[in-house]
Amino acid sequence: MTIFWAWPYSKALDLEIQEVNEKHLVIAKNLSTAFERYYQDVLGVFSILETGSQKQVNSPEFNAFLNSFQFLEVAVITQNGELQTCIFSRHEQCQPVTDNAILLLAKQTLEEGKIRISTVTEAMNIDDNPLMLVVKKLGNQILLGYLSTEYIIKMGKRVAFGEKGHAAIVDQTGQALAHPLASWVKTRKDMSKVSAVQKMLAGKTGVEKFYSPALKGDMIAGYTSVPGAGWGVMVPQPIKELEGTAVEIDKAALMVMLIGIALACLFAIPVSLLIIKPLENLSRTINSIKSGESQVNLQFTLSRAVPQEISELKTQFAHMMETIEAKENVIAKLAYFDSHTGLPNRNYFYRLSNKALAKMITLNQKGALVFIDFDGFKEVNDTYGHKAGDELLYLFGQRLTRFFQLNNLSKSELAFYDALPEIIPARLGGDEFVILLQDVKDKQEVASIIEDLLGTVFAEYKMNQQLNLKVTGSAGIALFPEDGKEYDQLMRAADLAMYAAKSAGKNTLCFTEESCNR
């Protein structure tokens, strides 16, 4: 009983730290993905200011569009900072002359032929809060936008757990963009001396322990960077909170020990024998879990003479197992499935494909890898915005799963796909989708399936924004084992076939060695 009391504290602390390594890093990566999309959207909106018509740029709808992306003011200025054209302003009019410090930062940020976002700064004549500059060189003039950091701050505030668990976001030089301490955000606190921040700015991803001067204690954090923008995202939590959880478990274990000794002394061997049996069953269950079994038996019955504490222990243990399983499903969903379509992601598809190819080799079966790419998906994003593009990808994924009758999955999607169904669709990224077909008869069967598929999924889409979009796609097909027996060989062959379909006029499918079919 003494050993049982001493063990949970250290084990619980290890488990808490292990959970941080998984959970905090996942949260940091999810935030990074959101910020990367926001960064790309801002660049896309800013590019319209240069290429769009004057009528479009000056329209109330477009002004509302700029306002939704947190732009405070957009103007064309001279190299001396004098206003040439006021495109948008939340105030009545744009600033006639740009502040010298802002003008200097804008010139330092400029890069020929590219749109760039500066480090965080302040412009009290524009807004009381920190902001960033979005700039592009237009001949001898500068297209200058003032971008609020409100969205970044709001996203950072959404992450809060424990007593002091939070998110910290820094710009490309380590200055605070979002932080629980409002004073750090207001003064653009330089956090670049923190080792985790230095690694974020170097583009690295991981988990690290470090000392926080803000919270005056040791922290453990998952961290990553935002591609393109160069911002850093860190999700730290005080180690003391993890130790506190372990202490509570230690106290509970001590109470169990004292109760156990009292019962043993009071009832001695007869009652001990009644208790041993259910504990043995629980022990076997724990050992099954430790050995990696996902399904465990908690259906054994208890004698009426067994103390209520033992019965409650079984009940709570069963609830704990259900909670763990639910968390594992959530983590699996984040790690293995695409968030927009619900289909397996690139990494999971790679793992499933290798298992399926090995199975088909063993059973001497034929198969096919189909690479599908939208025709003109970029124009959808550029014309209607990334929100419409995301909705189109979601609807496409829904049609894909309905076509292959994959809607009624088991309770665990991970278990369903790990069982290697004969048809495995996935999203590689962007508008690229792949499908692995197993145990097919011949090329004609594959062509028939894919032609029916393209006719179904590439049709008119009714969007939530009251848009009706007619989209098409091109497909490249690699046959197994004719075009390769390994994943990389098949993927390369299918990719080349897809590009052949694009070259043949789009809305086409191609096999690797024959002409294309419209």
PDB file of all heavy atoms in Angstrom, residues 279-300 317 320-321 324 328:
ATOM      1  N   LEU A 279     -10.332  -6.499  -7.689  1.00  0.00           N
ATOM      2  CA  LEU A 279      -9.066  -5.795  -7.926  1.00  0.00           C
ATOM      3  C   LEU A 279      -8.213  -6.533  -8.938  1.00  0.00           C
ATOM      4  O   LEU A 279      -7.498  -5.914  -9.748  1.00  0.00           O
ATOM      5  CB  LEU A 279      -8.302  -5.619  -6.613  1.00  0.00           C
ATOM      6  CG  LEU A 279      -8.900  -4.604  -5.626  1.00  0.00           C
ATOM      7  CD1 LEU A 279      -8.043  -4.511  -4.374  1.00  0.00           C
ATOM      8  CD2 LEU A 279      -9.038  -3.233  -6.273  1.00  0.00           C
ATOM      9  N   GLU A 280      -8.261  -7.865  -8.892  1.00  0.00           N
ATOM     10  CA  GLU A 280      -7.538  -8.635  -9.903  1.00  0.00           C
ATOM     11  C   GLU A 280      -8.090  -8.352 -11.292  1.00  0.00           C
ATOM     12  O   GLU A 280      -7.334  -8.240 -12.268  1.00  0.00           O
ATOM     13  CB  GLU A 280      -7.635 -10.135  -9.592  1.00  0.00           C
ATOM     14  CG  GLU A 280      -6.753 -10.596  -8.436  1.00  0.00           C
ATOM     15  CD  GLU A 280      -6.910 -12.085  -8.164  1.00  0.00           C
ATOM     16  OE1 GLU A 280      -7.888 -12.662  -8.667  1.00  0.00           O
ATOM     17  OE2 GLU A 280      -6.051 -12.642  -7.470  1.00  0.00           O
ATOM     18  N   ASN A 281      -9.425  -8.248 -11.390  1.00  0.00           N
ATOM     19  CA  ASN A 281     -10.033  -7.932 -12.685  1.00  0.00           C
ATOM     20  C   ASN A 281      -9.611  -6.548 -13.181  1.00  0.00           C
ATOM     21  O   ASN A 281      -9.280  -6.355 -14.359  1.00  0.00           O
ATOM     22  CB  ASN A 281     -11.559  -7.994 -12.583  1.00  0.00           C
ATOM     23  CG  ASN A 281     -12.072  -9.418 -12.423  1.00  0.00           C
ATOM     24  OD1 ASN A 281     -11.457 -10.355 -12.930  1.00  0.00           O
ATOM     25  ND2 ASN A 281     -13.177  -9.587 -11.709  1.00  0.00           N
ATOM     26  N   LEU A 282      -9.618  -5.571 -12.251  1.00  0.00           N
ATOM     27  CA  LEU A 282      -9.159  -4.242 -12.627  1.00  0.00           C
ATOM     28  C   LEU A 282      -7.691  -4.256 -13.015  1.00  0.00           C
ATOM     29  O   LEU A 282      -7.264  -3.562 -13.943  1.00  0.00           O
ATOM     30  CB  LEU A 282      -9.389  -3.256 -11.475  1.00  0.00           C
ATOM     31  CG  LEU A 282     -10.814  -2.730 -11.277  1.00  0.00           C
ATOM     32  CD1 LEU A 282     -10.886  -1.874 -10.023  1.00  0.00           C
ATOM     33  CD2 LEU A 282     -11.258  -1.928 -12.492  1.00  0.00           C
ATOM     34  N   SER A 283      -6.891  -5.046 -12.301  1.00  0.00           N
ATOM     35  CA  SER A 283      -5.470  -5.156 -12.618  1.00  0.00           C
ATOM     36  C   SER A 283      -5.261  -5.720 -14.016  1.00  0.00           C
ATOM     37  O   SER A 283      -4.416  -5.246 -14.777  1.00  0.00           O
ATOM     38  CB  SER A 283      -4.770  -6.034 -11.578  1.00  0.00           C
ATOM     39  OG  SER A 283      -3.407  -6.201 -11.895  1.00  0.00           O
ATOM     40  N   ARG A 284      -6.048  -6.761 -14.349  1.00  0.00           N
ATOM     41  CA  ARG A 284      -5.932  -7.316 -15.696  1.00  0.00           C
ATOM     42  C   ARG A 284      -6.326  -6.280 -16.750  1.00  0.00           C
ATOM     43  O   ARG A 284      -5.726  -6.210 -17.831  1.00  0.00           O
ATOM     44  CB  ARG A 284      -6.826  -8.554 -15.808  1.00  0.00           C
ATOM     45  CG  ARG A 284      -6.219  -9.807 -15.197  1.00  0.00           C
ATOM     46  CD  ARG A 284      -6.973 -11.053 -15.635  1.00  0.00           C
ATOM     47  NE  ARG A 284      -8.345 -11.066 -15.138  1.00  0.00           N
ATOM     48  CZ  ARG A 284      -8.710 -11.601 -13.979  1.00  0.00           C
ATOM     49  NH1 ARG A 284      -7.789 -12.156 -13.182  1.00  0.00           N
ATOM     50  NH2 ARG A 284      -9.970 -11.591 -13.587  1.00  0.00           N
ATOM     51  N   THR A 285      -7.341  -5.478 -16.433  1.00  0.00           N
ATOM     52  CA  THR A 285      -7.765  -4.431 -17.364  1.00  0.00           C
ATOM     53  C   THR A 285      -6.659  -3.408 -17.580  1.00  0.00           C
ATOM     54  O   THR A 285      -6.367  -2.998 -18.704  1.00  0.00           O
ATOM     55  CB  THR A 285      -9.023  -3.723 -16.831  1.00  0.00           C
ATOM     56  OG1 THR A 285     -10.065  -4.685 -16.674  1.00  0.00           O
ATOM     57  CG2 THR A 285      -9.483  -2.637 -17.790  1.00  0.00           C
ATOM     58  N   ILE A 286      -6.027  -2.996 -16.464  1.00  0.00           N
ATOM     59  CA  ILE A 286      -4.929  -2.023 -16.567  1.00  0.00           C
ATOM     60  C   ILE A 286      -3.780  -2.598 -17.374  1.00  0.00           C
ATOM     61  O   ILE A 286      -3.169  -1.917 -18.211  1.00  0.00           O
ATOM     62  CB  ILE A 286      -4.457  -1.603 -15.164  1.00  0.00           C
ATOM     63  CG1 ILE A 286      -5.566  -0.804 -14.452  1.00  0.00           C
ATOM     64  CG2 ILE A 286      -3.191  -0.758 -15.246  1.00  0.00           C
ATOM     65  CD1 ILE A 286      -5.278  -0.492 -13.008  1.00  0.00           C
ATOM     66  N   ASN A 287      -3.465  -3.880 -17.150  1.00  0.00           N
ATOM     67  CA  ASN A 287      -2.384  -4.517 -17.907  1.00  0.00           C
ATOM     68  C   ASN A 287      -2.726  -4.589 -19.390  1.00  0.00           C
ATOM     69  O   ASN A 287      -1.840  -4.454 -20.252  1.00  0.00           O
ATOM     70  CB  ASN A 287      -2.112  -5.920 -17.367  1.00  0.00           C
ATOM     71  CG  ASN A 287      -1.399  -5.891 -16.030  1.00  0.00           C
ATOM     72  OD1 ASN A 287      -0.640  -4.958 -15.755  1.00  0.00           O
ATOM     73  ND2 ASN A 287      -1.645  -6.883 -15.191  1.00  0.00           N
ATOM     74  N   SER A 288      -4.013  -4.818 -19.698  1.00  0.00           N
ATOM     75  CA  SER A 288      -4.430  -4.846 -21.100  1.00  0.00           C
ATOM     76  C   SER A 288      -4.220  -3.490 -21.749  1.00  0.00           C
ATOM     77  O   SER A 288      -3.771  -3.384 -22.893  1.00  0.00           O
ATOM     78  CB  SER A 288      -5.911  -5.250 -21.204  1.00  0.00           C
ATOM     79  OG  SER A 288      -6.118  -6.552 -20.701  1.00  0.00           O
ATOM     80  N   ILE A 289      -4.556  -2.441 -20.969  1.00  0.00           N
ATOM     81  CA  ILE A 289      -4.356  -1.088 -21.488  1.00  0.00           C
ATOM     82  C   ILE A 289      -2.877  -0.807 -21.701  1.00  0.00           C
ATOM     83  O   ILE A 289      -2.454  -0.246 -22.719  1.00  0.00           O
ATOM     84  CB  ILE A 289      -4.966  -0.051 -20.531  1.00  0.00           C
ATOM     85  CG1 ILE A 289      -6.484  -0.246 -20.439  1.00  0.00           C
ATOM     86  CG2 ILE A 289      -4.662   1.370 -20.988  1.00  0.00           C
ATOM     87  CD1 ILE A 289      -7.137   0.551 -19.347  1.00  0.00           C
ATOM     88  N   LYS A 290      -2.052  -1.223 -20.725  1.00  0.00           N
ATOM     89  CA  LYS A 290      -0.614  -1.007 -20.838  1.00  0.00           C
ATOM     90  C   LYS A 290      -0.014  -1.745 -22.023  1.00  0.00           C
ATOM     91  O   LYS A 290       0.955  -1.294 -22.630  1.00  0.00           O
ATOM     92  CB  LYS A 290       0.078  -1.431 -19.544  1.00  0.00           C
ATOM     93  CG  LYS A 290      -0.189  -0.498 -18.368  1.00  0.00           C
ATOM     94  CD  LYS A 290       0.352  -1.069 -17.072  1.00  0.00           C
ATOM     95  CE  LYS A 290       1.841  -1.255 -17.119  1.00  0.00           C
ATOM     96  NZ  LYS A 290       2.378  -1.794 -15.848  1.00  0.00           N
ATOM     97  N   SER A 291      -0.589  -2.892 -22.366  1.00  0.00           N
ATOM     98  CA  SER A 291      -0.062  -3.682 -23.477  1.00  0.00           C
ATOM     99  C   SER A 291      -0.539  -3.165 -24.826  1.00  0.00           C
ATOM    100  O   SER A 291      -0.147  -3.682 -25.864  1.00  0.00           O
ATOM    101  CB  SER A 291      -0.467  -5.152 -23.332  1.00  0.00           C
ATOM    102  OG  SER A 291      -1.874  -5.295 -23.393  1.00  0.00           O
ATOM    103  N   GLY A 292      -1.405  -2.135 -24.811  1.00  0.00           N
ATOM    104  CA  GLY A 292      -1.818  -1.507 -26.055  1.00  0.00           C
ATOM    105  C   GLY A 292      -3.175  -1.920 -26.566  1.00  0.00           C
ATOM    106  O   GLY A 292      -3.576  -1.504 -27.653  1.00  0.00           O
ATOM    107  N   GLU A 293      -3.930  -2.740 -25.836  1.00  0.00           N
ATOM    108  CA  GLU A 293      -5.246  -3.144 -26.300  1.00  0.00           C
ATOM    109  C   GLU A 293      -6.216  -1.971 -26.206  1.00  0.00           C
ATOM    110  O   GLU A 293      -6.282  -1.280 -25.190  1.00  0.00           O
ATOM    111  CB  GLU A 293      -5.785  -4.306 -25.464  1.00  0.00           C
ATOM    112  CG  GLU A 293      -4.983  -5.596 -25.606  1.00  0.00           C
ATOM    113  CD  GLU A 293      -5.597  -6.737 -24.809  1.00  0.00           C
ATOM    114  OE1 GLU A 293      -6.796  -6.643 -24.481  1.00  0.00           O
ATOM    115  OE2 GLU A 293      -4.864  -7.694 -24.498  1.00  0.00           O
ATOM    116  N   SER A 294      -6.959  -1.711 -27.293  1.00  0.00           N
ATOM    117  CA  SER A 294      -7.919  -0.604 -27.315  1.00  0.00           C
ATOM    118  C   SER A 294      -9.266  -0.982 -26.719  1.00  0.00           C
ATOM    119  O   SER A 294     -10.031  -0.133 -26.288  1.00  0.00           O
ATOM    120  CB  SER A 294      -8.117  -0.115 -28.764  1.00  0.00           C
ATOM    121  OG  SER A 294      -8.588  -1.167 -29.576  1.00  0.00           O
ATOM    122  N   GLN A 295      -9.598  -2.299 -26.727  1.00  0.00           N
ATOM    123  CA  GLN A 295     -10.865  -2.757 -26.167  1.00  0.00           C
ATOM    124  C   GLN A 295     -10.585  -3.544 -24.881  1.00  0.00           C
ATOM    125  O   GLN A 295      -9.846  -4.515 -24.897  1.00  0.00           O
ATOM    126  CB  GLN A 295     -11.607  -3.663 -27.174  1.00  0.00           C
ATOM    127  CG  GLN A 295     -11.919  -2.971 -28.492  1.00  0.00           C
ATOM    128  CD  GLN A 295     -12.927  -1.856 -28.317  1.00  0.00           C
ATOM    129  OE1 GLN A 295     -13.774  -1.912 -27.427  1.00  0.00           O
ATOM    130  NE2 GLN A 295     -12.834  -0.838 -29.166  1.00  0.00           N
ATOM    131  N   VAL A 296     -11.173  -3.132 -23.770  1.00  0.00           N
ATOM    132  CA  VAL A 296     -10.969  -3.800 -22.490  1.00  0.00           C
ATOM    133  C   VAL A 296     -12.317  -4.185 -21.912  1.00  0.00           C
ATOM    134  O   VAL A 296     -13.340  -3.559 -22.198  1.00  0.00           O
ATOM    135  CB  VAL A 296     -10.200  -2.895 -21.501  1.00  0.00           C
ATOM    136  CG1 VAL A 296      -8.789  -2.647 -21.986  1.00  0.00           C
ATOM    137  CG2 VAL A 296     -10.930  -1.578 -21.301  1.00  0.00           C
ATOM    138  N   ASN A 297     -12.306  -5.221 -21.065  1.00  0.00           N
ATOM    139  CA  ASN A 297     -13.551  -5.742 -20.489  1.00  0.00           C
ATOM    140  C   ASN A 297     -13.754  -5.206 -19.081  1.00  0.00           C
ATOM    141  O   ASN A 297     -12.972  -5.484 -18.186  1.00  0.00           O
ATOM    142  CB  ASN A 297     -13.507  -7.273 -20.478  1.00  0.00           C
ATOM    143  CG  ASN A 297     -14.774  -7.868 -19.880  1.00  0.00           C
ATOM    144  OD1 ASN A 297     -15.819  -7.228 -19.875  1.00  0.00           O
ATOM    145  ND2 ASN A 297     -14.675  -9.080 -19.387  1.00  0.00           N
ATOM    146  N   LEU A 298     -14.817  -4.417 -18.923  1.00  0.00           N
ATOM    147  CA  LEU A 298     -15.180  -3.913 -17.600  1.00  0.00           C
ATOM    148  C   LEU A 298     -16.573  -4.405 -17.214  1.00  0.00           C
ATOM    149  O   LEU A 298     -17.267  -3.777 -16.427  1.00  0.00           O
ATOM    150  CB  LEU A 298     -15.152  -2.382 -17.595  1.00  0.00           C
ATOM    151  CG  LEU A 298     -13.763  -1.735 -17.589  1.00  0.00           C
ATOM    152  CD1 LEU A 298     -13.890  -0.238 -17.759  1.00  0.00           C
ATOM    153  CD2 LEU A 298     -13.007  -2.063 -16.330  1.00  0.00           C
ATOM    154  N   GLN A 299     -16.976  -5.538 -17.774  1.00  0.00           N
ATOM    155  CA  GLN A 299     -18.335  -6.030 -17.560  1.00  0.00           C
ATOM    156  C   GLN A 299     -18.425  -7.095 -16.460  1.00  0.00           C
ATOM    157  O   GLN A 299     -19.466  -7.711 -16.293  1.00  0.00           O
ATOM    158  CB  GLN A 299     -18.880  -6.617 -18.884  1.00  0.00           C
ATOM    159  CG  GLN A 299     -18.867  -5.627 -20.047  1.00  0.00           C
ATOM    160  CD  GLN A 299     -19.642  -4.363 -19.726  1.00  0.00           C
ATOM    161  OE1 GLN A 299     -20.722  -4.434 -19.148  1.00  0.00           O
ATOM    162  NE2 GLN A 299     -19.087  -3.220 -20.092  1.00  0.00           N
ATOM    163  N   PHE A 300     -17.341  -7.344 -15.741  1.00  0.00           N
ATOM    164  CA  PHE A 300     -17.388  -8.369 -14.707  1.00  0.00           C
ATOM    165  C   PHE A 300     -18.309  -7.908 -13.568  1.00  0.00           C
ATOM    166  O   PHE A 300     -18.437  -6.730 -13.276  1.00  0.00           O
ATOM    167  CB  PHE A 300     -15.982  -8.675 -14.175  1.00  0.00           C
ATOM    168  CG  PHE A 300     -15.208  -7.463 -13.720  1.00  0.00           C
ATOM    169  CD1 PHE A 300     -15.391  -6.954 -12.434  1.00  0.00           C
ATOM    170  CD2 PHE A 300     -14.314  -6.829 -14.566  1.00  0.00           C
ATOM    171  CE1 PHE A 300     -14.681  -5.853 -12.009  1.00  0.00           C
ATOM    172  CE2 PHE A 300     -13.601  -5.724 -14.140  1.00  0.00           C
ATOM    173  CZ  PHE A 300     -13.787  -5.235 -12.861  1.00  0.00           C
ATOM    174  N   PHE A 317     -13.497   4.168 -12.956  1.00  0.00           N
ATOM    175  CA  PHE A 317     -12.471   3.714 -13.897  1.00  0.00           C
ATOM    176  C   PHE A 317     -13.079   3.583 -15.300  1.00  0.00           C
ATOM    177  O   PHE A 317     -12.458   3.949 -16.304  1.00  0.00           O
ATOM    178  CB  PHE A 317     -11.884   2.383 -13.438  1.00  0.00           C
ATOM    179  CG  PHE A 317     -10.704   1.936 -14.259  1.00  0.00           C
ATOM    180  CD1 PHE A 317      -9.441   2.409 -13.990  1.00  0.00           C
ATOM    181  CD2 PHE A 317     -10.870   1.034 -15.304  1.00  0.00           C
ATOM    182  CE1 PHE A 317      -8.355   2.010 -14.749  1.00  0.00           C
ATOM    183  CE2 PHE A 317      -9.798   0.623 -16.067  1.00  0.00           C
ATOM    184  CZ  PHE A 317      -8.526   1.108 -15.777  1.00  0.00           C
ATOM    185  N   MET A 320     -13.428   6.943 -16.673  1.00  0.00           N
ATOM    186  CA  MET A 320     -12.123   7.450 -17.075  1.00  0.00           C
ATOM    187  C   MET A 320     -11.713   6.885 -18.435  1.00  0.00           C
ATOM    188  O   MET A 320     -11.192   7.592 -19.296  1.00  0.00           O
ATOM    189  CB  MET A 320     -11.075   7.096 -16.017  1.00  0.00           C
ATOM    190  CG  MET A 320      -9.671   7.633 -16.337  1.00  0.00           C
ATOM    191  SD  MET A 320      -8.402   6.998 -15.219  1.00  0.00           S
ATOM    192  CE  MET A 320      -8.302   5.291 -15.761  1.00  0.00           C
ATOM    193  N   MET A 321     -11.968   5.584 -18.637  1.00  0.00           N
ATOM    194  CA  MET A 321     -11.630   4.954 -19.909  1.00  0.00           C
ATOM    195  C   MET A 321     -12.425   5.582 -21.055  1.00  0.00           C
ATOM    196  O   MET A 321     -11.893   5.791 -22.147  1.00  0.00           O
ATOM    197  CB  MET A 321     -11.904   3.451 -19.843  1.00  0.00           C
ATOM    198  CG  MET A 321     -10.930   2.682 -18.965  1.00  0.00           C
ATOM    199  SD  MET A 321      -9.222   2.900 -19.507  1.00  0.00           S
ATOM    200  CE  MET A 321      -9.332   2.362 -21.200  1.00  0.00           C
ATOM    201  N   ILE A 324     -10.797   8.921 -21.780  1.00  0.00           N
ATOM    202  CA  ILE A 324      -9.532   8.752 -22.498  1.00  0.00           C
ATOM    203  C   ILE A 324      -9.788   8.414 -23.958  1.00  0.00           C
ATOM    204  O   ILE A 324      -9.146   8.947 -24.871  1.00  0.00           O
ATOM    205  CB  ILE A 324      -8.671   7.660 -21.826  1.00  0.00           C
ATOM    206  CG1 ILE A 324      -8.177   8.150 -20.453  1.00  0.00           C
ATOM    207  CG2 ILE A 324      -7.487   7.270 -22.705  1.00  0.00           C
ATOM    208  CD1 ILE A 324      -7.441   7.099 -19.653  1.00  0.00           C
ATOM    209  N   GLU A 328      -8.651  10.495 -27.200  1.00  0.00           N
ATOM    210  CA  GLU A 328      -7.835   9.879 -28.242  1.00  0.00           C
ATOM    211  C   GLU A 328      -8.483  10.066 -29.612  1.00  0.00           C
ATOM    212  O   GLU A 328      -7.794  10.299 -30.605  1.00  0.00           O
ATOM    213  CB  GLU A 328      -7.632   8.393 -27.954  1.00  0.00           C
ATOM    214  CG  GLU A 328      -6.674   8.120 -26.811  1.00  0.00           C
ATOM    215  CD  GLU A 328      -6.523   6.632 -26.519  1.00  0.00           C
ATOM    216  OE1 GLU A 328      -7.354   5.851 -27.026  1.00  0.00           O
ATOM    217  OE2 GLU A 328      -5.589   6.269 -25.794  1.00  0.00           O
TER     218      GLU A 328
END
